[in-house]
Amino acid sequence: MNVIDPDNPIPKYLQISAWIRELIQSGRYERGASLPSEVELSKICQVNRNTLRQAIAELTAAGMLRKEKGRGTFVCAETPLAVTHKLKSISSFSADLQELGIRERTRIIKKSLEGAGDQVAKKLILSPNGKVAVIRRIRSGNEVPFIYEESYLPGSTFRDILEMDLTGSMYQIINDRFNVTLARSDQTIRAVNLKGRIASYLNLPVNSAAFFMESLTYDENNVPVELLYSYYRGDKYVFEVELGRYHIEEDNVHQD
Amino acid sequence: MKPLKDWFVPWLFTAREYNTAILDKAWAKPDYGRLMLNENPIPPSDKVIQAVADVLKKGNRYPDSMLRLRTKLGKLHNVGPDNIALCNGSSEIIDCMMRIFLEPGDEFIVSNPTFGLFPPRAELVGGKVVSIPLRKEDLQYDVDAMLKAITPKTKVILVINPNNPTGIFIEDKDLIRFCETGIPLCIDEAYLDYHPEISSKDFLLKKYPQVFLSHTFSKAYGFAGIRFGYVVGTEEMVKAFNTMFLPWNVSLMSMAAAEAILDNPEEVAEKVKHNNRWMDIFTKELVQVGLKPFPAHGNYMLVDATMTGKTTAQILAAALETEHIFLKSIPVIHGKDGYFRVTPGLDEENERFVRFVRNYFGKK
Ligand SMILES: Cc1ncc(COP(=O)(O)O)c(C=O)c1O
């Protein structure tokens, strides 16, 4: 791996400090951890020790690193708070936060009964003039917005949800109040840059990085019951996936 | 050489016939009122026609399993797409259920009278039809007698709800007695859509996996010629039907028509409204002249005119001759001749029927 890109006009020491900063922000070096020695680091970065010291000095000045005489360099920046979402079973934001012991706050931007529109109708298998209950919410923890989400539910079944308290887990409500079991969900995750309105909901500058997740959740009968569009802050969210073992198995030969 | 007829399975000759000759007569006389067939008099909407025309352009392709359509139908019954099997009108269910449950010599229990297609389809697989007369006093299912008729050879029972030709609903407690036997039970809900306030018996499927529902778009939806129907059952039941149905049994056009009308429930609501309005008018008119119409809940009404001394054949002939309307012949019930059945047609045809009733049965 090359830390330094020789074609990059940015000074080498700044390229190195950016690299170390990313290691800290992404949690690979946690608070209190020690960095490799200057000798090792300069080897890794293929720079002389002066350049390396310049980079470290930059981060020390920014308060991210601390030098201790004779002992080494330590991370003193807090690893930024990140919520981990396991892509394993259907779980709610409320549950993700509970795991971290953070208090959830949900702000409803808008909720209403609307015409489904082509795309939503198609995904939820509604008639083209079908109605959907639409709920737009910002999900925060410790006053920091994490997710902006738009939830679409078939109006015929879920219209009454609009009258309910939606500041907690909607999955709980769907389960308890509507007696609908959420059996499975098809999800896709894509990287996006946030546009104006959604960036401001999430307290971020325009064009900040985010994950966009589309979830189509089915009940026990294999009928789609919720289409959810979520924007997760790129700097605050971690998705965790557990994969099974690698195996090579030829698909059965297809017969016509 | 052996004559051809000796090659045929024996039940081809012993099965009773379902006679459709009246259809040729009716199509040959397009200006005659077709009040005899439990059809819907209102033609499909432009939306349905457009959907069929659109999909016809893909008519060179085999259809898929129509997940969307099955999901939409499942929603009507609080079940999923795998609880729905699609078919060409519910006649296909009638045929298929016999092939699923009956081996030669097995018995099928049904009331008498009933919809005339059931007995021949049982007999055409070598099955035996055990017909139990409706109760004399109210023409309800004689549940006691039907249950008593069960033998180890009984493999499937039929309940039509509301019944044809009486139009009467069965009570849940009676229906559950059939369910409790554990014997496969077909609940034919062909006419239920005329009464959206009455719920389908789909709630029985969870507790009684041997029960299945038969549905058709031939009646309230008005698709008798388009041909579309569906089975509702457990996944195991639906798999059995899908195994027995031919692959691609339903054409793309029928399925497109079905999806179009499902997306436009007002079309059905209007057809139902037209029907039910005329059912009320017919009832009043018939009572007025002293006949006894049964409290019917479909698009047909069984009328007891036995007290007039006129036979069914005489009544039908007079209606055809004086007002050019076809009525449905009903065989003798409990030894009495003079029953007939009528289905509302278009306004103008219905007016002809009302005139016939007044003139033929009214005080001179
Ligand atoms: C009780 C009942 N079931 C089924 C049918 C069959 O109709 P289709 O095959 O058109 O669905 C009829 C038709 O009159 C009927 O009366």
Side-chain angles (χ1 to χ4, degrees):
Chain A
M1 184 209 66
N2 289 327
V3 176
I4 308 268
D5 174 3
D7 298 332
N8 192 333
I10 292 172
K12 283 181 186 169
Y13 82 95
L14 285 180
Q15 291 191 48
I16 294 169
S17 65
W19 171 63
I20 295 174
R21 183 180 281 122
E22 193 201 301
L23 289 174
I24 293 170
Q25 280 180 337
S26 62
R28 275 172 285 181
Y29 282 110
E30 290 179 353
R31 184 189 172 91
S34 65
L35 289 194
S37 69
E38 284 182 7
V39 179
E40 269 176 88
L41 279 174
S42 43
K43 231 187 247 163
I44 293 171
C45 303
Q46 293 168 352
V47 292
N48 63 41
R49 283 178 72 173
N50 264 341
T51 310
L52 186 83
R53 283 198 189 118
Q54 243 183 316
I56 302 259
E58 213 246 336
L59 293 172
T60 318
M64 295 191 84
L65 294 176
R66 168 169 45 88
K67 285 185 95 152
E68 281 184 32
K69 255 215 169 98
R71 293 191 58 218
T73 308
F74 295 88
V75 176
C76 55
E78 207 58 82
T79 307
L81 175 76
V83 178
T84 302
H85 180 76
K86 289 198 175 101
L87 296 169
K88 196 168 184 181
S89 54
I90 299 170
S91 65
S92 64
F93 176 71
S94 314
D96 287 348
L97 282 198
Q98 247 161 38
E99 196 120 304
L100 291 175
I102 298 178
R103 200 164 39 83
E104 171 197 352
R105 212 173 77 88
T106 293
R107 185 153 72 89
I108 288 129
I109 302 286
K110 190 179 171 202
K111 52 179 186 174
S112 56
L113 197 67
E114 299 174 13
D118 271 1
Q119 224 199 345
V120 174
K122 209 166 200 163
K123 296 223 152 120
L124 289 173
I125 314 193
L126 304 173
S127 62
N129 48 7
K131 290 266 189 287
V132 276
V134 188
I135 297 145
R136 298 175 174 85
R137 313 190 293 174
I138 297 171
R139 321 291 306 266
S140 308
N142 282 356
E143 310 305 319
V144 180
F146 283 91
I147 310 172
Y148 168 70
E149 59 185 28
E150 295 178 355
S151 174
Y152 298 83
L153 303 150
S156 52
T157 311
F158 292 103
R159 111 187 10 239
D160 292 344
I161 204 170
L162 297 172
E163 312 307 324
M164 297 177 186
D165 174 15
L166 299 175
T167 57
S169 165
M170 242 160 57
Y171 288 169
Q172 195 82 39
I173 294 176
I174 290 172
N175 190 75
D176 297 352
R177 306 279 297 270
F178 292 89
N179 255 325
V180 172
T181 304
L182 300 173
R184 101 189 150 77
S185 185
D186 287 341
Q187 305 189 321
T188 57
I189 302 173
R190 271 179 288 178
V192 291
N193 296 105
L194 293 173
K195 293 286 157 291
R197 182 173 57 93
I198 297 172
S200 77
Y201 289 153
L202 291 175
N203 258 350
L204 291 172
V206 167
N207 277 335
S208 297
F211 300 106
F212 172 72
M213 185 195 278
E214 181 185 308
S215 314
L216 188 56
T217 301
Y218 294 79
D219 70 9
E220 277 179 313
N221 291 329
N222 225 2
V223 177
V225 289
E226 189 207 28
L227 175 65
L228 179 67
Y229 294 139
S230 319
Y231 296 82
Y232 293 82
R233 268 175 71 155
D235 59 339
K236 292 279 184 232
Y237 239 88
V238 174
F239 290 95
E240 188 180 301
V241 191
E242 187 187 307
L243 301 177
R245 82 163 190 219
Y246 177 70
H247 66 138
I248 319 161
E249 199 175 282
E250 293 283 314
D251 270 353
N252 286 339
V253 178
H254 215 79
Q255 295 183 356
D256 259 341
Chain B
M1 244 184 358
K2 202 155 95 159
L4 178 57
K5 71 173 178 35
D6 291 354
W7 291 97
F8 293 149
V9 290
W11 30 82
L12 202 63
F13 303 101
T14 52
R16 66 197 88 175
E17 178 194 20
Y18 184 72
N19 192 315
T20 54
I22 186 78
L23 285 169
D24 290 329
K25 284 190 199 151
W27 277 98
K29 295 196 181 304
D31 51 331
Y32 279 42
R34 299 163 66 123
L35 308 190
M36 72 308 191
L37 273 173
N38 298 0
E39 291 168 332
N40 195 311
I42 302 173
S45 69
D46 288 347
K47 281 183 183 159
V48 168
I49 291 166
Q50 189 57 50
V52 173
D54 288 346
V55 83
L56 193 50
K57 292 173 193 148
K58 300 174 196 158
N60 54 321
R61 301 296 186 191
Y62 286 107
D64 66 8
S65 80
M66 302 299 286
L67 176 68
R68 300 175 51 78
L69 177 55
R70 287 184 291 118
T71 302
K72 286 180 181 179
L73 290 166
K75 284 184 190 184
L76 302 178
H77 298 281
N78 290 315
V79 297
D82 295 338
N83 299 104
I84 303 287
L86 308 179
C87 57
N88 250 303
S90 55
S91 297
E92 216 184 345
I93 303 170
I94 295 171
D95 180 55
C96 201
M97 66 187 246
M98 307 305 178
R99 290 189 286 130
I100 288 173
F101 294 110
L102 300 184
E103 292 183 47
D106 283 343
E107 294 169 5
F108 162 57
I109 296 184
V110 62
S111 75
N112 180 35
T114 186
F115 173 47
L117 190 59
F118 282 94
R121 296 329 290 185
E123 288 164 350
L124 281 169
V125 295
K128 188 174 160 223
V129 177
V130 178
S131 287
I132 308 296
L134 296 172
R135 281 200 307 234
K136 208 166 184 166
E137 59 276 23
D138 54 3
L139 295 194
Q140 256 291 6
Y141 282 99
D142 191 339
V143 182
D144 289 330
M146 287 174 85
L147 291 176
K148 223 185 267 162
I150 291 173
T151 75
K153 287 206 161 284
T154 304
K155 298 297 165 63
V156 59
I157 301 173
L158 169 71
V159 170
I160 305 174
N161 192 49
N163 201 359
N164 180 4
T166 61
I168 299 175
F169 282 113
I170 190 171
E171 286 187 37
D172 278 358
K173 67 171 175 22
D174 285 335
L175 198 53
I176 284 168
R177 290 174 72 198
F178 289 117
C179 297
E180 285 289 332
T181 64
I183 296 168
L185 174 69
C186 171
I187 305 176
D188 184 329
E189 299 191 325
Y191 300 96
L192 191 62
D193 301 307
Y194 284 106
H195 284 272
E197 77 280 7
I198 305 283
S199 67
S200 159
K201 302 303 173 197
D202 47 31
F203 60 87
L204 292 170
L205 305 186
K206 276 222 165 75
K207 182 156 181 209
Y208 303 106
Q210 84 279 11
V211 175
F212 60 96
L213 309 181
S214 168
H215 269 259
T216 179
F217 276 23
S218 294
K219 309 303 173 181
Y221 289 74
F223 279 16
I226 293 172
R227 312 298 302 145
F228 184 77
Y230 63 96
V231 180
V232 192
T234 63
E235 285 187 29
E236 192 181 6
M237 183 69 80
V238 161
K239 239 186 217 148
F241 272 94
N242 278 331
T243 305
M244 204 55 101
F245 286 148
L246 289 169
W248 317 297
N249 55 337
V250 191
S251 83
L252 276 180
M253 283 82 77
S254 298
M255 295 191 287
E259 193 166 356
I261 199 168
L262 278 174
D263 286 347
N264 184 26
E266 299 82 43
E267 179 173 344
V268 183
E270 260 169 49
K271 290 176 178 179
V272 166
K273 202 171 129 198
H274 170 87
N275 177 75
N276 294 356
R277 185 169 79 87
W278 278 106
M279 291 288 280
D280 288 345
I281 296 173
F282 283 6
T283 304
K284 274 191 214 115
E285 291 287 340
L286 290 160
V287 168
Q288 194 94 52
V289 296
L291 303 189
K292 191 179 162 213
F294 281 81
H297 297 96
N299 63 344
Y300 52 91
M301 184 176 294
L302 179 64
V303 183
D304 178 354
T306 55
M307 69 294 278
T308 65
K310 305 253 182 358
T311 65
T312 298
Q314 288 169 338
I315 297 166
L316 262 63
L320 198 59
E321 193 189 309
T322 59
E323 294 292 349
H324 290 184
I325 48 181
F326 290 105
L327 298 174
K328 169 80 175 175
S329 169
I330 295 292
V332 169
I333 303 179
H334 293 297
K336 288 202 275 185
D337 196 341
Y339 288 95
F340 68 93
R341 200 189 63 192
V342 59
T343 293
L346 296 169
D347 289 345
E348 185 271 327
E349 296 166 332
N350 296 336
E351 281 154 15
R352 269 151 58 193
F353 173 70
V354 167
R355 198 163 56 212
F356 166 71
V357 168
R358 289 181 185 169
N359 292 341
Y360 189 69
F361 295 110
K363 291 205 176 66
K364 301 281 148 43

